[in-house]
Amino acid sequence: MFSTPKMSILIAVLILWGPTEASADERYKPIKDEVVSKECGACHMAFQPQMLPKRSWVKIMDELPNHFGEDASLDKATSERIKKYLVSNAADAGWLGGKFMRGIKDDMTPLRITEAPYWIREHNDEVPSRAWSDPKVKTKANCLACHPRATRGNYDDD
Amino acid sequence: MKNLSHLIQQAALLCCLVIVLSISANAASPQSILGGYEAEAKIQDQHFQEFSAKRGQLLFQSTNTTGKPETPSCTTCHSKDPSSAGRTRAEKEISPMALSRSPQRYNDLKKVEKWFRRNCKSVLGRVCSPLEKGDFITFMINQ
């Protein structure tokens, strides 16, 4: 049955496609909405919405006046627009949950990406604890310190 | 032919005028923003005389306990020297506050108001008065 031309094409496609998928493992869709990039990127890197569930983004956007110890309030129209974008691109926005949904139980609403079980697993195995106190890193919110292409959604670097 | 080139010239001039007018409609200058705060300050206090760079400096450098504990002072993120770049708590660089170092600052009232609203709440735990805003900008445009 593998001798049919259709089958060999399929096998060829799978062989070629497989490795590309594997090397592009830690890629996330870059943020396309300018307002989202600008407002979310004013104080920290604008994190890709695929890294938290919908309910987390709703809570974060509803609590902007106390955003991790700072007032990050926005006018209603702007915050609603941003919330809509974040929710429709969240980790659980597709019918197949994104990998950031792994280990997140139904009653969990993580507010920090660094609290998501997937993030913790990916970093615990590879990053020694002294790296976090490096003066160039300082905070776990500083993705760009180790992932220089993070803004474009590329976290492949190890 | 002559008529046509004249027409094109006029149309081009008109286009330039429209562009210039629409830009100036959105943009403000530090002076016009200060003028707005001055008018508000006079309503709040009949004895208001003028903004003070010295008071603005004291506000910028003050340490407070009424705001969020993470940000007791403007200098927590903006650094003590207005001519130097600052850093947010998430390690993003903030361009210097001094107008001489960051000429793009204090040109957009909406933006200025947004950051006073947020940062006065974070640092002082309350909104800033028109007097405080005017003093702050007066200090920064003289730096």
Side-chain angles (χ1 to χ4, degrees):
Chain A
M1 66 178 279
F2 290 104
S3 58
T4 63
K6 263 190 190 165
M7 242 1 223
S8 37
I9 289 170
L10 181 68
I11 289 164
V13 165
L14 283 177
I15 289 168
L16 288 173
W17 186 51
T20 337
E21 269 296 279
S23 63
D25 211 13
E26 290 305 329
R27 302 280 176 100
Y28 300 84
K29 254 194 319 185
I31 294 171
K32 289 208 179 72
D33 187 304
E34 269 177 43
V35 175
V36 176
S37 312
K38 185 178 154 238
E39 295 297 348
C40 302
C43 303
H44 53 68
M45 193 202 107
F47 308 117
Q48 284 81 17
Q50 292 86 353
M51 297 184 179
L52 283 176
K54 291 181 212 170
R55 55 184 183 274
S56 300
W57 290 123
V58 170
K59 192 151 197 270
I60 288 168
M61 291 307 295
D62 289 347
E63 291 175 356
L64 279 187
N66 193 3
H67 189 66
F68 305 104
E70 272 173 61
D71 184 322
S73 58
L74 282 167
D75 62 90
K76 183 115 177 118
T78 310
S79 70
E80 285 302 312
R81 173 184 173 146
I82 294 172
K83 194 204 282 185
K84 207 171 151 192
Y85 183 87
L86 297 173
V87 165
S88 52
N89 291 283
D92 53 345
W95 62 275
L96 258 179
K99 56 187 159 195
F100 261 88
M101 288 310 286
R102 288 179 202 167
I104 296 185
K105 299 190 182 77
D106 287 349
D107 61 346
M108 281 168 72
T109 305
L111 295 183
R112 295 174 190 271
I113 294 167
T114 54
E115 284 166 1
Y118 181 76
W119 188 96
I120 294 171
R121 206 190 68 195
E122 286 296 305
H123 291 83
N124 272 8
D125 295 347
E126 297 174 27
V127 185
S129 55
R130 68 187 142 77
W132 298 114
S133 45
D134 187 297
K136 284 194 199 108
V137 179
K138 277 192 179 164
T139 153
K140 288 180 179 175
N142 188 9
C143 308
L144 287 159
C146 304
H147 304 287
R149 288 158 296 178
T151 316
R152 282 176 273 150
N154 182 336
Y155 294 80
D156 282 349
D157 342 79
D158 289 313
Chain B
M1 229 16 222
K2 216 174 177 184
N3 266 348
L4 185 69
S5 68
H6 190 66
L7 202 69
I8 292 171
Q9 215 171 28
Q10 274 193 330
L13 266 174
L14 193 70
C15 279
C16 287
L17 194 69
V18 167
I19 291 167
V20 167
L21 280 178
S22 61
I23 289 170
S24 55
N26 286 322
S29 66
Q31 275 66 35
S32 73
I33 289 175
L34 276 178
Y37 288 142
E38 187 176 334
E40 286 180 43
K42 279 178 180 159
I43 294 169
Q44 286 200 347
D45 176 12
Q46 291 175 335
H47 304 294
F48 170 86
Q49 287 189 327
E50 58 181 359
F51 291 128
S52 143
K54 186 72 207 160
R55 278 197 308 257
Q57 181 179 17
L58 289 174
L59 175 65
F60 180 69
Q61 293 170 339
S62 67
T63 305
N64 307 274
T65 50
T66 43
K68 298 188 193 294
E70 291 87 348
T71 53
S73 171
C74 308
T75 60
T76 308
C77 297
H78 289 293
S79 93
K80 290 200 169 75
D81 176 9
S83 304
S84 302
R87 271 188 186 279
T88 67
R89 294 191 301 122
E91 282 300 294
K92 193 165 171 131
E93 192 174 303
I94 309 171
S95 68
M97 295 305 284
L99 183 65
S100 59
R101 300 291 312 279
S102 304
Q104 82 285 1
R105 284 196 180 275
Y106 319 114
N107 278 329
D108 178 342
L109 180 62
K110 234 178 126 180
K111 192 171 173 185
V112 166
E113 276 289 284
K114 176 172 100 176
W115 287 103
F116 271 135
R117 183 190 74 231
R118 288 174 161 185
N119 294 350
C120 291
K121 268 284 183 60
S122 291
V123 174
L124 302 171
R126 59 170 174 83
V127 293
C128 283
S129 67
L131 182 72
E132 287 171 320
K133 293 177 194 172
D135 287 344
F136 186 94
I137 293 181
T138 303
F139 172 55
M140 292 307 173
I141 64 178
N142 286 306
Q143 287 299 299

